[in-house]
Amino acid sequence: YFLMIRRPPRSTRKESSAASDVYKRQDEEAAEGNDQVTVVGVSKYHSTERSARKYARRQASNEICAYMGTIVKNKFEEILLSSGLESEILDETNAANDTTKQLCTNMVRRLKSKKWHMEQKIINGKVGIQYYVLAAVPMSEIDKAFKKAAGKNIKNQQKQAENAASEKAKKQAEQAIELFKKAKKEGLYN
Protein backbone atom coordinates (compact mmCIF):
# COMPACT_ATOMS: atom_id res chain seq x y z
CA TYR A 1 0.00 0.00 0.00
CA PHE A 2 1.11 3.60 -0.40
CA LEU A 3 0.39 7.00 1.11
CA MET A 4 -0.17 10.02 -1.14
CA ILE A 5 0.92 13.44 0.15
CA ARG A 6 -0.04 16.49 -1.90
CA ARG A 7 1.56 19.88 -1.69
CA PRO A 8 0.74 23.04 -3.66
CA PRO A 9 3.18 23.95 -6.44
CA ARG A 10 5.84 26.50 -5.56
CA SER A 11 5.00 28.97 -8.30
CA THR A 12 1.30 29.35 -7.51
CA ARG A 13 -0.65 30.17 -4.38
CA LYS A 14 -3.84 28.20 -5.03
CA GLU A 15 -3.36 24.46 -5.15
CA SER A 16 -6.71 23.81 -6.78
CA SER A 17 -6.25 26.11 -9.79
CA ALA A 18 -2.70 25.03 -10.57
CA ALA A 19 -3.37 21.37 -9.99
CA SER A 20 -6.54 21.38 -12.06
CA ASP A 21 -4.84 23.22 -14.95
CA VAL A 22 -2.04 20.68 -15.04
CA TYR A 23 -4.18 17.61 -14.39
CA LYS A 24 -6.74 18.58 -17.05
CA ARG A 25 -4.00 18.70 -19.65
CA GLN A 26 -1.70 15.87 -18.61
CA ASP A 27 -3.21 13.42 -21.11
CA GLU A 28 -3.48 15.97 -23.92
CA GLU A 29 -0.99 16.68 -26.61
CA ALA A 30 0.18 20.21 -27.23
CA ALA A 31 -2.66 22.70 -27.35
CA GLU A 32 -2.95 25.98 -29.24
CA GLY A 33 -4.78 28.86 -27.60
CA ASN A 34 -4.36 32.45 -26.41
CA ASP A 35 -1.63 32.91 -29.05
CA GLN A 36 0.56 30.25 -27.47
CA VAL A 37 1.21 26.53 -27.57
CA THR A 38 1.00 24.79 -24.20
CA VAL A 39 2.38 21.40 -23.24
CA VAL A 40 2.54 19.34 -20.05
CA GLY A 41 5.65 17.56 -18.87
CA VAL A 42 5.32 14.83 -16.23
CA SER A 43 8.23 13.35 -14.35
CA LYS A 44 8.60 9.85 -13.05
CA TYR A 45 9.02 9.51 -9.30
CA HIS A 46 12.43 10.77 -8.19
CA SER A 47 14.24 10.96 -4.87
CA THR A 48 14.81 14.74 -5.15
CA GLU A 49 12.63 17.66 -6.19
CA ARG A 50 15.40 18.97 -8.42
CA SER A 51 15.70 15.81 -10.50
CA ALA A 52 11.90 15.46 -10.75
CA ARG A 53 11.57 19.08 -11.95
CA LYS A 54 14.37 18.62 -14.50
CA TYR A 55 12.74 15.47 -15.83
CA ALA A 56 9.31 17.13 -16.11
CA ARG A 57 10.88 20.07 -17.94
CA ARG A 58 12.68 17.70 -20.33
CA GLN A 59 9.37 15.91 -21.00
CA ALA A 60 7.71 19.27 -21.77
CA SER A 61 10.56 19.99 -24.22
CA ASN A 62 9.98 16.62 -25.89
CA GLU A 63 6.27 17.42 -26.20
CA ILE A 64 6.90 20.79 -27.89
CA CYS A 65 9.32 19.14 -30.33
CA ALA A 66 6.77 16.44 -31.16
CA TYR A 67 4.16 19.15 -31.75
CA MET A 68 6.50 21.04 -34.06
CA GLY A 69 7.37 17.90 -36.00
CA THR A 70 3.70 17.29 -36.72
CA ILE A 71 2.78 20.86 -37.61
CA VAL A 72 5.85 21.37 -39.86
CA LYS A 73 5.19 18.10 -41.72
CA ASN A 74 1.55 19.10 -42.23
CA LYS A 75 2.58 22.55 -43.48
CA PHE A 76 5.00 21.11 -46.04
CA GLU A 77 2.39 18.61 -47.25
CA GLU A 78 -0.11 21.48 -47.59
CA ILE A 79 2.40 23.53 -49.62
CA LEU A 80 3.13 20.56 -51.90
CA LEU A 81 -0.55 19.96 -52.55
CA SER A 82 -1.41 23.60 -53.19
CA SER A 83 1.64 24.52 -55.26
CA GLY A 84 1.99 21.62 -57.66
CA LEU A 85 5.58 20.84 -56.62
CA GLU A 86 6.50 17.30 -57.62
CA SER A 87 6.45 15.10 -54.54
CA GLU A 88 8.28 12.29 -56.37
CA ILE A 89 11.21 14.64 -56.92
CA LEU A 90 11.11 16.51 -53.61
CA ASP A 91 11.47 14.64 -50.32
CA GLU A 92 9.23 16.72 -48.05
CA THR A 93 9.89 14.38 -45.12
CA ASN A 94 13.60 15.28 -45.07
CA ALA A 95 12.74 18.96 -45.48
CA ALA A 96 10.30 18.74 -42.54
CA ASN A 97 12.78 16.82 -40.38
CA ASP A 98 15.59 19.32 -41.00
CA THR A 99 13.31 22.26 -40.23
CA THR A 100 11.93 20.56 -37.11
CA LYS A 101 15.44 19.97 -35.73
CA GLN A 102 16.26 23.65 -36.17
CA LEU A 103 12.97 24.68 -34.55
CA CYS A 104 13.38 22.34 -31.58
CA THR A 105 16.77 23.78 -30.78
CA ASN A 106 15.32 27.29 -30.73
CA MET A 107 11.97 26.57 -29.08
CA VAL A 108 13.26 24.53 -26.15
CA ARG A 109 15.09 27.65 -24.97
CA ARG A 110 11.91 29.74 -25.37
CA LEU A 111 9.65 27.28 -23.55
CA LYS A 112 8.45 29.02 -20.37
CA SER A 113 7.26 27.09 -17.34
CA LYS A 114 3.87 28.51 -16.30
CA LYS A 115 2.76 26.27 -13.45
CA TRP A 116 4.28 23.48 -11.43
CA HIS A 117 2.56 20.80 -9.38
CA MET A 118 4.32 18.32 -7.10
CA GLU A 119 3.13 15.08 -5.58
CA GLN A 120 4.87 12.89 -3.05
CA LYS A 121 4.28 9.19 -2.74
CA ILE A 122 5.71 6.74 -0.21
CA ILE A 123 7.12 3.82 -2.16
CA ASN A 124 8.73 0.97 -0.20
CA GLY A 125 9.24 3.27 2.77
CA LYS A 126 10.89 6.05 0.76
CA VAL A 127 9.47 9.34 -0.48
CA GLY A 128 9.08 9.58 -4.24
CA ILE A 129 8.58 13.01 -5.80
CA GLN A 130 6.75 13.57 -9.05
CA TYR A 131 6.38 16.92 -10.84
CA TYR A 132 4.00 18.19 -13.48
CA VAL A 133 4.85 21.33 -15.43
CA LEU A 134 2.55 23.36 -17.63
CA ALA A 135 4.78 25.16 -20.13
CA ALA A 136 4.13 27.45 -23.09
CA VAL A 137 5.74 29.06 -26.13
CA PRO A 138 4.19 32.05 -27.92
CA MET A 139 2.98 31.09 -31.40
CA SER A 140 4.60 34.25 -32.78
CA GLU A 141 8.00 32.95 -31.58
CA ILE A 142 7.39 29.58 -33.24
CA ASP A 143 6.37 31.26 -36.49
CA LYS A 144 9.39 33.60 -36.43
CA ALA A 145 11.75 30.66 -35.83
CA PHE A 146 10.04 28.67 -38.60
CA LYS A 147 10.58 31.47 -41.11
CA LYS A 148 14.21 31.82 -39.99
CA ALA A 149 14.76 28.06 -40.40
CA ALA A 150 13.17 28.21 -43.87
CA GLY A 151 15.59 31.01 -44.80
CA LYS A 152 18.58 28.93 -43.67
CA ASN A 153 17.30 25.96 -45.63
CA ILE A 154 16.94 28.11 -48.77
CA LYS A 155 20.65 28.98 -48.54
CA ASN A 156 21.60 25.34 -47.92
CA GLN A 157 19.59 24.17 -50.92
CA GLN A 158 21.07 26.89 -53.14
CA LYS A 159 24.54 25.53 -52.32
CA GLN A 160 23.36 21.99 -53.04
CA ALA A 161 21.93 23.08 -56.40
CA GLU A 162 25.23 24.74 -57.33
CA ASN A 163 27.24 21.65 -56.37
CA ALA A 164 24.79 19.03 -57.67
CA ALA A 165 26.45 16.04 -59.32
CA SER A 166 23.44 15.20 -61.47
CA GLU A 167 20.49 16.91 -63.10
CA LYS A 168 18.12 15.02 -60.78
CA ALA A 169 19.97 16.27 -57.68
CA LYS A 170 19.90 19.81 -59.04
CA LYS A 171 16.15 19.58 -59.71
CA GLN A 172 15.58 18.22 -56.20
CA ALA A 173 17.44 21.17 -54.68
CA GLU A 174 15.53 23.65 -56.84
CA GLN A 175 12.21 22.10 -55.79
CA ALA A 176 13.30 22.29 -52.16
CA ILE A 177 14.17 25.97 -52.60
CA GLU A 178 10.64 26.60 -53.89
CA LEU A 179 9.16 24.69 -50.95
CA PHE A 180 11.19 26.67 -48.41
CA LYS A 181 10.42 29.99 -50.12
CA LYS A 182 6.68 29.29 -49.90
CA ALA A 183 7.07 28.16 -46.29
CA LYS A 184 8.98 31.32 -45.39
CA LYS A 185 6.39 33.53 -47.10
CA GLU A 186 3.33 31.81 -45.60
CA GLY A 187 4.68 31.08 -42.14
CA LEU A 188 3.56 28.17 -40.04
CA TYR A 189 0.10 29.31 -38.98
CA ASN A 190 -1.29 30.82 -42.22
Side-chain angles (χ1 to χ4, degrees), residues 11-148:
S11 61
T12 58
R13 292 189 185 131
K14 293 182 185 177
E15 177 181 337
S16 61
S17 67
S20 67
D21 280 355
V22 174
Y23 284 132
K24 282 180 196 171
R25 297 181 184 185
Q26 79 184 43
D27 294 328
E28 292 180 13
E29 294 180 7
E32 296 174 9
N34 297 329
D35 296 323
Q36 62 183 5
V37 176
T38 56
V39 293
V40 174
V42 182
S43 75
K44 295 180 180 179
Y45 284 96
H46 291 260
S47 59
T48 66
E49 283 189 42
R50 183 174 187 232
S51 62
R53 286 174 72 98
K54 280 177 73 173
Y55 190 93
R57 172 77 182 176
R58 188 170 39 250
Q59 289 304 105
S61 297
N62 291 344
E63 288 295 322
I64 200 71
C65 287
Y67 161 81
M68 285 186 281
T70 300
I71 196 164
V72 168
K73 183 175 180 266
N74 291 344
K75 183 63 177 185
F76 284 161
E77 287 174 358
E78 176 189 312
I79 291 170
L80 278 174
L81 287 173
S82 67
S83 67
L85 293 173
E86 299 176 44
S87 60
E88 62 273 357
I89 294 174
L90 178 62
D91 185 356
E92 75 275 4
T93 303
N94 282 340
N97 289 343
D98 291 345
T99 304
T100 300
K101 285 177 192 173
Q102 292 172 25
L103 277 174
C104 282
T105 302
N106 287 322
M107 289 302 102
V108 166
R109 286 183 252 139
R110 290 179 172 83
L111 188 66
K112 302 292 180 212
S113 302
K114 298 289 186 183
K115 295 182 181 180
W116 290 91
H117 178 74
M118 183 196 75
E119 290 188 0
Q120 293 180 338
K121 185 177 183 179
I122 305 297
I123 305 169
N124 297 327
K126 296 181 181 178
V127 176
I129 299 167
Q130 182 179 40
Y131 261 100
Y132 298 77
V133 61
L134 179 65
V137 176
M139 291 172 83
S140 61
E141 289 289 323
I142 295 172
D143 199 49
K144 189 167 100 177
F146 175 75
K147 289 176 181 178
K148 185 177 178 181

